[in-house]
Amino acid sequence: MKSYWFDNTVGDQREDHDSGRSVDPEYLSKLGVLYRHCPSIEIVDSIASKRSYKNRDEIIVSPEKMGSAYEDKVKMFFNEHLHEDEEIRYILDGEGFFDVRSIEDEWVRIRLVKGDLIILPAGIYHRFTTDNSNYIKAMRLFKDEPKWTPLNRAPEVDGVPARQEYLSRA
């Protein structure tokens, strides 16, 4: 995992966009973002048990797997949104980026590679993209049944309970 301030330059979302200013993992923790490198599935299983994650599945995001829908899906994942539940991803193969909003509403880019596990708190604005290799395989973990509904950033979304609870903790 590598985290840094997004450079906000125009260009392909899959490029690094590294401003050269790193972000300490402690700052991510203050945002409620939890990170752990898990070289074995047993570590993931232990975390899942402790956090009461009962369900999981796997997703491959690549042109080979998604065909002509790939570019549209990657653009959709990159729309700024939040979820009403935690978002948990364990990277099985490939690389990608999660961007999360800082307390100051700036983008922090988090590069994840094989073996990385990230937990985004409910209510945090974020977005996702593959890197320029256009391939990532991830395990998604859930406490209950998956809730896929992204709430795209809008003034009315700032009032949803998950967002308000997040802001009160951050």
Side-chain angles (χ1 to χ4, degrees), residues 8-96:
N8 291 313
T9 59
V10 176
D12 191 317
Q13 68 196 38
R14 293 167 280 206
E15 296 298 324
D16 285 346
H17 290 280
D18 189 341
S19 66
R21 298 180 300 134
S22 64
V23 172
D24 190 279
E26 187 175 311
Y27 182 78
L28 293 178
S29 181
K30 288 179 185 174
L31 297 177
V33 176
L34 305 176
Y35 165 78
R36 177 101 184 255
H37 185 74
C38 302
S40 73
I41 194 67
E42 290 78 19
I43 297 169
V44 175
D45 292 340
S46 175
I47 293 168
S49 177
K50 288 176 186 165
R51 296 184 71 87
S52 300
Y53 301 149
K54 298 178 186 119
N55 296 306
R56 61 181 72 184
D57 68 7
E58 293 180 8
I59 183 170
I60 296 174
V61 179
S62 73
E64 292 75 26
K65 192 71 172 171
M66 298 176 141
S68 61
Y70 173 76
E71 289 294 333
D72 288 338
K73 281 287 190 188
V74 169
K75 286 178 182 148
M76 182 187 76
F77 295 151
F78 202 63
N79 285 328
E80 183 175 2
H81 63 281
L82 62 79
H83 298 286
E84 295 179 283
D85 288 329
E86 288 182 336
E87 183 162 341
I88 307 96
R89 299 293 181 268
Y90 174 58
I91 309 306
L92 297 164
D93 197 19
E95 298 184 17

Side-chain angles (χ1 to χ4, degrees), residues 117-141:
L117 181 135
I118 192 167
I119 302 171
L120 303 181
I124 192 172
Y125 282 115
H126 65 281
R127 59 192 185 187
F128 169 79
T129 188
T130 58
D131 69 358
N132 55 18
S133 71
N134 293 311
Y135 174 82
I136 195 165
K137 180 179 181 181
M139 178 185 293
R140 304 181 289 192
L141 296 100

